[in-house]
Amino acid sequence: MFMNKEVAWSVALTAAVSALLTIVAPTAHAGPIGNGSDSNNRADKTQGTSNGSGSLEAAAATRVKVSTPNGKVGDGNLTPINTNWTPPICWYEPAMTPKEFKENLEDLEKRGRGMALTAIHSYWDMRTVKRQYGNDENAFGDGTESSKNYNLDKQGEGMWWQGVVNPNRQNEYDSVKRPCGKNIFWVENGEASAPEAISPKVLAEYAYDSIKVPDTEIEMSPEGESTVNLPTWMWLDGAKFKPVEVTASIDMGDGQELSATTEAEPVSLHLDPGTEDAQVHPASGECPIQNGKIGTRYTKGNAEKTPPCGVTYLRATSNSGPYELKASVTWKISWKGSGGTGGDLPDGTFETTEDVTVQEVQAINR
C-alpha cells in the first residue's frame, strides 16, 4: 500500500555537511557479527549515495540483528560458486512506529536548519520536509484523516517502512541506479509491502553474506620444501572445519519477529598445484571430507605411499620460482526460517594460496 504523499526518507545534503556521520546501534544478541550490534561491522554505519538531485538514497542502517549461535569461527567470506546469484543489495523493512515517527520529526524541528540524526539512523533536513509539505509537517500519507498526524491513531496496528542498504554491499549499491528508493510508507501489520520487502528468504540471504569461515590453512608433509617425484601429504585441521551458522532476525512490531538461520557445511577441499608438472591426489583434485576430516595426517613410513589428499610435483622450482598452490574449501549452504520456510542457497567457496618450493632430490629418508 503506497502513498501518494509520502515523507521522503532520502534528503538534500546541506553545503555545510561534507561527510556522513558514523553511528553505532544498540547492543544485540551475544556473539553479534554485524548490523544492529555493538560490533565494528559496516552495518553500524550510515552511508548512501546521491541520486543526482542532492538526495541521499537508502541511507538508513538496517534493524536486522545478526548473530552466530555457535560463535565466531573465522574471518573468511564465501564466494558463490558457478552462479550469477548475489545476496540482495537492499530491501524494505519496518522502521518506526507512529509515536517514534512523531518524536523524530519533533527532534528534527528543534535542531532547525541543520542535519539531524533520527532514531532510525537516517538524515533529514527540516527545510526539505517543509518545502515538500508546506508548514504542516503533520500531514503525511495520502491526505486522508487516517494517515495524518503520523498515524498516531494506528499505534500498534502497523509501522512506517523504508528502504535500507545491505551493509555488506554498500560499495555495490553506489553503482546501482536507485534500488529500494521509495519514500517512507505505511504498512499494516501482516500486510505485504513491496517486492523487495524483508522476508525469511531475504534474511537467509543476508545471513549468507555475513558468514565467516575458517582460513584454509593447509598442513603439509614434508614442511618447508617438497621433493620432486615424492608425494606431499596435505590435510586440514578437522576441529576447525565444522558447520557454521548465522542467524538474522528483525522485530516486525506487534510482537512479531522474522528470522532465518543459514548454515554452511564444509564438503570438500580442491587443490590446484599451480603448475601442469604435477599430479594431484585424488586425480580430480577434490579431497572429500570424511568423518569431519580433510585428508590424512602424514605418519612416518608413508613417504612413498599415495596420500588421500596431496600433490606430487614432477619438476623442481629452482629455475621458475615457487609454485602457487591454491586451496579452496567448498561449503554447502542451506537455511531454515520463520513459518516453516527454508531451502538451499548456492554453494560457496573460500580460497587461499601458498607458495611451494620443490627441490631436485630423487630419494629421501623420512
Side-chain angles (χ1 to χ4, degrees):
M1 177 175 61
F2 300 102
M3 307 299 178
N4 296 324
K5 197 176 181 184
E6 301 158 332
V7 178
W9 60 275
S10 58
V11 298
L13 290 176
T14 64
V17 180
S18 59
L20 297 176
L21 300 177
T22 299
I23 56 161
V24 178
T27 302
H29 309 295
I33 61 173
N35 47 327
S37 76
D38 58 355
S39 77
N40 292 321
N41 187 281
R42 286 176 299 171
D44 299 326
K45 299 179 181 180
T46 301
Q47 298 187 13
T49 183
S50 173
N51 65 7
S53 63
S55 293
L56 187 67
E57 296 289 349
T62 179
R63 295 171 61 247
V64 175
K65 309 296 182 182
V66 181
S67 61
T68 52
N70 51 1
K72 183 178 179 181
V73 296
D75 297 306
N77 294 312
L78 289 176
T79 300
I81 299 176
N82 299 328
T83 177
N84 292 325
W85 177 89
T86 58
I89 293 178
C90 62
W91 56 81
Y92 294 101
E93 65 179 52
M96 295 174 291
T97 65
K99 183 178 179 181
E100 290 169 338
F101 197 0
K102 181 176 184 294
E103 290 174 350
N104 287 331
L105 265 294
E106 288 177 345
D107 178 65
L108 184 60
E109 176 70 26
K110 292 178 182 178
R111 295 175 184 266
R113 298 176 59 186
M115 301 300 291
L117 181 64
T118 73
I120 58 168
H121 313 160
S122 181
Y123 293 92
W124 290 358
D125 185 327
M126 202 63 199
R127 291 178 301 171
T128 302
V129 174
K130 290 188 174 183
R131 182 170 63 247
Q132 202 162 5
Y133 299 99
N135 291 323
D136 182 12
E137 65 270 17
N138 294 327
F140 301 117
D142 58 5
T144 63
E145 290 299 321
S146 62
S147 65
K148 289 182 178 180
N149 198 27
Y150 316 96
N151 275 353
L152 286 173
D153 60 335
K154 292 189 175 183
Q155 183 74 24
E157 299 177 17
M159 293 186 70
W160 292 96
W161 284 47
Q162 71 173 18
V164 298
V165 176
N166 179 342
N168 300 317
R169 302 277 162 177
Q170 287 173 342
N171 292 337
E172 295 177 32
Y173 178 86
D174 290 344
S175 62
V176 178
K177 186 178 180 180
R178 302 179 64 182
C180 306
K182 295 183 182 296
N183 295 338
I184 277 184
F185 55 96
W186 176 259
V187 178
E188 300 284 346
N189 290 335
E191 286 190 5
S193 60
E196 302 88 354
I198 195 75
S199 67
K201 186 176 181 181
V202 169
L203 289 171
E205 293 174 334
Y206 178 36
Y208 183 124
D209 214 15
S210 301
I211 289 174
K212 302 293 184 183
V213 297
D215 291 338
T216 310
E217 297 178 354
I218 294 179
E219 297 187 65
M220 297 188 294
S221 181
E223 295 182 51
E225 290 186 343
S226 294
T227 304
V228 169
N229 294 327
L230 286 178
T232 299
W233 290 57
M234 300 181 182
W235 65 93
L236 291 173
D237 184 353
K240 290 184 179 179
F241 287 85
K242 296 181 179 180
V244 178
E245 291 185 352
V246 171
T247 296
S249 61
I250 184 171
D251 182 0
M252 300 294 288
D254 194 31
Q256 301 179 46
E257 181 180 85
L258 288 183
S259 67
T261 297
T262 299
E263 180 184 79
E265 179 183 2
V267 293
S268 66
L269 167 69
H270 181 77
L271 298 175
D272 180 346
T275 175
E276 294 182 356
D277 294 317
Q279 295 176 345
V280 291
H281 314 290
S284 64
E286 294 288 337
C287 302
I289 293 182
Q290 297 178 335
N291 299 321
K293 297 180 180 180
I294 303 176
T296 301
R297 182 180 294 274
Y298 171 80
T299 57
K300 188 175 181 180
N302 288 336
E304 297 185 8
K305 293 183 180 180
T306 300
C309 183
V311 177
T312 299
Y313 287 98
L314 307 178
R315 187 182 297 274
T317 57
S318 54
N319 296 323
S320 63
Y323 297 128
E324 187 179 66
L325 171 70
K326 295 180 180 179
S328 57
V329 174
T330 296
W331 299 75
K332 180 177 176 58
I333 312 297
S334 60
W335 67 278
K336 294 181 180 179
S338 304
T341 54
D344 294 327
L345 291 170
D347 290 350
T349 184
F350 180 71
E351 179 181 281
T352 56
T353 60
E354 185 169 344
D355 289 342
V356 177
T357 300
V358 182
Q359 61 182 337
E360 185 69 62
V361 178
Q362 298 302 320
I364 187 170
N365 294 322
R366 288 197 273 175

